[in-house]
Amino acid sequence: MFEQASLEDLASFRFGHAADAELATGCTVVIAPEGAVCGIDVRGGGPATRETDLLKPENMVEAVHAVVLSGGSAFGLEASSGVMDALAERGVGFPVETARVPIVTSACLFDLLIGKPGHPDKAMGRRAAEAAFACEPFGEGNVGAGTGATVGKLLGSERAMKSGFGINAMRFGDLVVAALVAVNALGNVRNKDGVWIAGCRDDDGSVMDGTTAFEFAAQAMAAQAAAQTAAEAPESPAEPGGTPCANTTIGVVVTNARLTKAQATKVSSTCHDAYARAIKPVHTSNDGDTIFTFASGDIAAPSDLVAVMGTETMQQAICRAVTSAASAYGLPAADDIA
């Protein structure tokens, strides 16, 4: 039977957060000091990523040393350079004659519209890496990449809610699979029972049904498109949420299983089912939804089992991202609504 596990059961990895509450942004790093196989699947229409081509199964690099999840949109990719510097100083990386080159891949979410102006930089990335090596407490909620995360922006930011960073892990015998995710979705979030727990708020302050919210957004988009057509305006078609790509859910499945790059890529693909179960709508043009799979290769395990476990634990991690968040920046959290 599946049992609850923890990140401490994944001894080949280190986990670290860094954030700036005033800037309402942060970053999270998963480090594999000895290197680990990594795959990726990107479903959203507006991703901000770094070094993801090398994760393709046909490309040379087999070992990745860190995955970074960051706020700051494309600006946040700078945090990865700080992680890279911290790893290089510790001798972690791909050997090239007398040097070592750390392989660091990353994805970012858009949180630029709340808090003071700013984004994760090299210094913040370094702090996250140092926190990982120091084994500092690694929590959930308004931390790391989830510091400025919000959900439910279909009807505009004034009806949105605070979200955050979620963690869940499970084991089956010696196999351990964990999911870490920063939920910054355009859509609403529901739990395994189908109850909408965070997202667009109705006039009375309650969480709106995800389907209803999308219907209202569709009506607004249709009206705006009709107005543009009538005026023969050259603007782009209307998009929900107001600001293009102002969203994105980014996560990583971490496991001690032995996977090839192709298998890790397939696990990432399958685990997007968790996004579809928990978030509505998902994978829109305004989202950069991304999942990495990071596998240390410590034990043999069927890749399909890893995928099934990863999907289940990712769905729970998404729920934890919103239920562990605290109200901030003028936005209520799930606990406030409950």
Side-chain angles (χ1 to χ4, degrees):
M1 297 292 293
F2 296 145
E3 299 176 349
Q4 199 66 31
S6 73
L7 298 183
E8 294 177 354
D9 297 318
L10 293 164
S12 296
F13 297 96
R14 302 288 182 269
F15 307 88
H17 289 307
D20 187 316
E22 289 191 355
L23 301 182
T25 194
C27 62
T28 299
V29 62
V30 183
I31 296 174
E34 303 303 319
V37 167
C38 192
I40 188 174
D41 189 275
V42 180
R43 297 287 176 91
T49 56
R50 162 182 161 147
E51 293 279 48
T52 52
D53 275 356
L54 60 80
L55 303 183
K56 293 179 180 179
E58 67 269 23
N59 288 341
M60 178 188 70
V61 172
E62 292 292 336
V64 169
H65 301 98
V67 172
V68 180
L69 308 180
S70 177
S73 189
F75 292 114
L77 294 172
E78 182 183 345
S80 298
S81 297
V83 174
M84 192 171 181
D85 288 347
L87 295 181
E89 291 172 6
R90 289 170 170 80
V92 174
F94 183 79
V96 181
E97 295 185 359
T98 60
R100 285 185 175 269
V101 180
I103 305 300
V104 179
T105 186
S106 62
C108 298
L109 55 81
F110 187 107
D111 56 7
L112 298 177
L113 302 183
I114 61 174
K116 294 182 178 180
H119 57 82
D121 55 13
K122 288 183 68 173
M124 187 180 289
R126 175 184 286 275
R127 291 203 307 273
E130 290 172 349
F133 281 111
C135 298
E136 293 181 8
F138 187 76
E140 299 176 287
N142 300 14
V143 296
T147 301
T150 55
V151 293
K153 290 157 280 188
L154 274 166
L155 302 180
S157 59
E158 66 277 3
R159 290 181 181 260
M161 289 177 61
K162 186 70 182 72
S163 181
F165 188 85
I167 306 167
N168 194 261
M170 62 173 57
R171 67 162 58 248
F172 184 80
D174 293 331
L175 174 63
V176 178
V177 181
L180 297 77
V181 64
V183 180
N184 191 55
L186 173 69
N188 286 18
V189 177
R190 57 187 164 192
N191 62 21
K192 293 187 72 173
D193 298 324
V195 176
W196 297 100
I197 55 177
C200 294
R201 288 172 288 141
D202 213 332
D203 292 339
D204 62 1
S206 63
V207 179
M208 191 178 292
D209 178 280
T211 300
T212 302
F214 187 72
E215 288 174 347
F216 279 128
Q219 291 171 5
M221 286 186 285
Q224 185 177 344
Q228 290 176 358
T229 300
E232 296 184 346
E235 292 102 342
S236 299
E239 295 285 358
T243 301
C245 306
N247 308 287
T248 297
T249 297
I250 47 178
V252 54
V253 173
V254 187
T255 180
N256 60 356
R258 188 174 307 130
L259 301 176
T260 65
K261 286 173 68 175
Q263 289 171 329
T265 300
K266 183 59 179 176
V267 169
S268 292
S269 174
T270 303
C271 289
H272 272 285
D273 288 355
Y275 283 19
R277 293 177 190 171
I279 303 169
K280 184 174 183 177
V282 72
H283 303 148
T284 73
S285 298
N286 279 2
D287 292 292
D289 299 330
T290 300
I291 297 178
F292 298 91
T293 295
F294 214 10
S296 61
D298 297 320
I299 69 164
S303 61
D304 283 343
L305 177 58
V306 177
V308 170
M309 292 174 66
T311 302
E312 292 299 316
T313 196
M314 180 62 77
Q315 184 176 358
Q316 294 181 49
I318 291 170
C319 292
R320 291 190 63 85
V322 297
T323 58
S324 62
S327 59
Y329 315 113
L331 296 173
D335 278 352
D336 302 304
I337 303 298

